[in-house]
Short mmCIF file of all heavy atoms in Angstrom, two decimals:
data_model
loop_
_atom_site.label_atom_id
_atom_site.label_comp_id
_atom_site.label_asym_id
_atom_site.label_seq_id
_atom_site.Cartn_x
_atom_site.Cartn_y
_atom_site.Cartn_z
N ILE A 366 -19.85 11.25 -20.93
CA ILE A 366 -20.36 12.64 -20.73
C ILE A 366 -19.31 13.47 -20.12
O ILE A 366 -19.19 14.67 -20.35
CB ILE A 366 -21.60 12.64 -19.79
CG1 ILE A 366 -22.58 11.55 -20.07
CG2 ILE A 366 -22.24 13.96 -19.80
CD1 ILE A 366 -23.69 11.48 -19.08
N GLY A 367 -18.55 12.92 -19.22
CA GLY A 367 -17.56 13.73 -18.57
C GLY A 367 -16.65 12.85 -17.67
O GLY A 367 -16.95 11.68 -17.46
N LYS A 368 -15.58 13.49 -17.18
CA LYS A 368 -14.68 12.77 -16.32
C LYS A 368 -14.40 13.60 -15.10
O LYS A 368 -14.19 14.80 -15.19
CB LYS A 368 -13.32 12.51 -17.02
CG LYS A 368 -13.41 11.32 -17.98
CD LYS A 368 -12.07 10.96 -18.53
CE LYS A 368 -12.26 9.75 -19.49
NZ LYS A 368 -11.19 9.52 -20.33
N GLY A 369 -14.47 12.96 -13.95
CA GLY A 369 -14.11 13.64 -12.74
C GLY A 369 -13.07 12.87 -11.96
O GLY A 369 -12.47 11.93 -12.48
N ARG A 370 -12.83 13.26 -10.73
CA ARG A 370 -11.80 12.56 -9.92
C ARG A 370 -12.22 11.09 -9.69
O ARG A 370 -11.39 10.27 -9.43
CB ARG A 370 -11.60 13.28 -8.58
CG ARG A 370 -10.73 14.48 -8.68
CD ARG A 370 -10.76 15.25 -7.40
NE ARG A 370 -12.12 15.62 -7.04
CZ ARG A 370 -12.50 15.80 -5.77
NH1 ARG A 370 -11.71 15.58 -4.81
NH2 ARG A 370 -13.78 16.18 -5.52
N ALA A 396 -27.56 9.55 -16.37
CA ALA A 396 -26.12 9.62 -16.32
C ALA A 396 -25.68 8.47 -15.35
O ALA A 396 -26.32 8.25 -14.36
CB ALA A 396 -25.64 10.95 -15.77
N LYS A 398 -22.37 6.68 -13.30
CA LYS A 398 -20.99 6.67 -12.83
C LYS A 398 -20.67 5.25 -12.37
O LYS A 398 -21.51 4.60 -11.76
CB LYS A 398 -20.79 7.55 -11.61
CG LYS A 398 -20.33 8.93 -11.92
CD LYS A 398 -19.96 9.66 -10.64
CE LYS A 398 -20.04 11.17 -10.80
NZ LYS A 398 -19.61 11.89 -9.64
N GLU A 445 -30.04 11.42 -12.57
CA GLU A 445 -30.70 12.24 -13.59
C GLU A 445 -29.65 12.74 -14.56
O GLU A 445 -28.55 13.17 -14.19
CB GLU A 445 -31.34 13.39 -12.81
CG GLU A 445 -32.22 14.25 -13.58
CD GLU A 445 -32.85 15.32 -12.68
OE1 GLU A 445 -32.48 15.37 -11.48
OE2 GLU A 445 -33.68 16.09 -13.12
N CYS A 447 -28.31 15.53 -17.13
CA CYS A 447 -28.47 16.97 -17.46
C CYS A 447 -27.70 17.21 -18.75
O CYS A 447 -26.44 17.26 -18.74
CB CYS A 447 -27.90 17.79 -16.34
SG CYS A 447 -28.75 17.59 -14.79
N ASN A 451 -21.99 20.47 -17.01
CA ASN A 451 -21.79 21.25 -15.77
C ASN A 451 -21.76 22.76 -16.10
O ASN A 451 -21.44 23.17 -17.21
CB ASN A 451 -20.53 20.77 -15.02
CG ASN A 451 -19.25 21.14 -15.71
OD1 ASN A 451 -18.96 22.32 -15.87
ND2 ASN A 451 -18.52 20.15 -16.16
N ARG A 521 -18.54 23.71 -11.19
CA ARG A 521 -18.36 22.37 -11.81
C ARG A 521 -19.37 21.39 -11.22
O ARG A 521 -19.71 20.38 -11.91
CB ARG A 521 -16.96 21.91 -11.53
CG ARG A 521 -16.35 20.97 -12.55
CD ARG A 521 -14.88 20.66 -12.28
NE ARG A 521 -14.68 19.85 -11.10
CZ ARG A 521 -14.21 20.31 -9.94
NH1 ARG A 521 -13.94 21.62 -9.79
NH2 ARG A 521 -14.02 19.48 -8.89
N HIS A 522 -19.81 21.63 -10.02
CA HIS A 522 -20.75 20.67 -9.40
C HIS A 522 -22.17 21.05 -9.56
O HIS A 522 -23.05 20.49 -8.95
CB HIS A 522 -20.38 20.50 -7.92
CG HIS A 522 -19.05 19.83 -7.71
ND1 HIS A 522 -18.29 19.92 -6.61
CD2 HIS A 522 -18.32 18.98 -8.54
CE1 HIS A 522 -17.20 19.21 -6.71
NE2 HIS A 522 -17.21 18.63 -7.90
N ASP A 535 -23.18 16.46 -6.83
CA ASP A 535 -21.95 16.16 -6.08
C ASP A 535 -22.06 16.28 -4.58
O ASP A 535 -21.60 17.19 -3.95
CB ASP A 535 -20.82 17.08 -6.57
CG ASP A 535 -19.58 16.24 -6.90
OD1 ASP A 535 -19.07 15.65 -6.00
OD2 ASP A 535 -19.21 16.21 -8.11
N1 ATP B 801 -25.91 13.81 -14.12
C1 ATP B 801 -25.13 14.33 -15.06
N2 ATP B 801 -25.67 14.73 -16.19
C2 ATP B 801 -24.88 15.24 -17.14
N3 ATP B 801 -23.56 15.33 -17.05
C3 ATP B 801 -22.98 14.92 -15.89
C4 ATP B 801 -23.73 14.36 -14.86
N4 ATP B 801 -22.92 14.05 -13.87
C5 ATP B 801 -21.66 14.36 -14.26
N5 ATP B 801 -21.73 14.88 -15.48
C6 ATP B 801 -20.57 15.35 -16.25
O1 ATP B 801 -19.47 14.54 -15.96
C7 ATP B 801 -18.39 15.30 -15.43
C8 ATP B 801 -17.71 14.52 -14.41
O2 ATP B 801 -18.56 14.40 -13.32
P1 ATP B 801 -18.01 13.90 -11.96
O3 ATP B 801 -19.08 14.06 -10.98
O4 ATP B 801 -17.39 12.60 -12.06
O5 ATP B 801 -16.84 14.88 -11.62
P2 ATP B 801 -16.90 16.40 -11.25
O6 ATP B 801 -18.12 16.65 -10.47
O7 ATP B 801 -16.74 17.20 -12.50
O8 ATP B 801 -15.64 16.66 -10.44
P3 ATP B 801 -15.13 15.97 -9.13
O9 ATP B 801 -13.94 15.26 -9.54
O10 ATP B 801 -14.87 17.12 -8.22
O11 ATP B 801 -16.25 15.10 -8.65
C9 ATP B 801 -19.08 16.53 -14.87
O12 ATP B 801 -18.20 17.63 -14.81
C10 ATP B 801 -20.22 16.77 -15.84
O13 ATP B 801 -19.74 17.44 -16.95
#
Side-chain angles (χ1 to χ4, degrees):
I366 316 174
K368 281 188 180 164
R370 281 171 302 151
K398 265 191 204 184
E445 187 178 3
C447 298
N451 73 63
R521 208 174 69 256
H522 292 157
D535 228 299

